[in-house]
Amino acid sequence: MAAYDDKNIFAKILRGELPAYKVYEDDKSYAFLDIMPRAHGHTLVIPKAPARNILDCPPEYLAHVIQVAQKIAKAQKIAFGASGVTVQQFNERSGGQVVFHLHFHIIPRHDGVALKAPASVQEKAEVLGANAEKLRNALAGK
Ligand code: 5GP
C-alpha cells in the first residue's frame, strides 16, 4: 500500500488550507459536509491522524471516529427527519476510494428516495451552509 500523502484534500481541510462546512470537531476527529452530497446532510467523518484508510489507521483513532459517526447519524435523524442512515467507507482505488485520507460517509436516508450518484453534483454554498447549521444545532441539542 502507498504511504500516506499529506497533500490530499482532507489533510488540507484539517490544516485549514481549504474551507469546509464543519459540523463537529474534537481532539481526534473532524466532521464536515461532502460538497457533492448523495443526499442532504451527507457528512464525512475523518480522524486527525495521518491515516490513508482503514488499513493503516491507529486503532484508537478508528474506534473514536466510529463513535463520532454514531453521533452524526443520530443528529441527522433529528436535523433532516431521516428514517435511516447509510454509512460507507472505501479503501484503496480498487475499493472505491478517491480521496486518500480515511473517511466515513454518513448519509441520511428517507423511504423511497434513492441516493444521487457519488460525487456527481456540487451543492450550492447556501444549501451546504444551511445543512451544516441544522446538523450543528441538532448536535448541540437545539
Ligand atoms: P471516496 O474517497 O470515499 O470515494 O469519496 C470522496 C468523497 O469526497 C466524495 O464523496 C466527494 O464528493 C468528496 N469530496 C471531493 N472533494 C471534496 C472537497 O473538496 N470537499 C469536500 N467536503 N468533499 C469533497
Side-chain angles (χ1 to χ4, degrees), residues 9-10 32-36 44 90 96-99 103 105 119:
I9 298 167
F10 298 165
F32 56 104
L33 294 187
D34 194 301
I35 53 168
M36 292 174 272
L44 302 171
F90 305 112
Q97 186 172 13
V98 175
V99 178
H103 53 281
H105 297 258

Side-chain angles (χ1 to χ4, degrees), residues 16-94:
E17 295 166 12
L18 286 177
Y21 294 89
K22 181 166 94 170
V23 166
Y24 175 86
E25 180 174 16
D26 61 28
D27 60 328
K28 287 198 179 63
S29 73
Y30 191 85
F32 56 104
L33 294 187
D34 194 301
I35 53 168
M36 292 174 272
R38 303 193 65 187
H40 282 299
H42 179 169
T43 301
L44 302 171
V45 182
I46 67 176
K48 287 183 175 177
R52 183 172 162 92
N53 55 44
I54 203 169
L55 299 167
D56 64 346
C57 186
E60 67 273 24
Y61 279 88
L62 199 51
H64 184 74
V65 161
I66 199 69
Q67 290 175 55
V68 174
Q70 184 189 42
K71 265 190 221 296
I72 300 294
K74 288 180 176 176
Q76 287 175 338
K77 291 198 71 188
I78 296 164
F80 301 101
S83 52
V85 177
T86 294
V87 177
Q88 292 181 314
Q89 193 277 315
F90 305 112
N91 303 282
E92 294 300 313
R93 207 171 300 283
S94 56

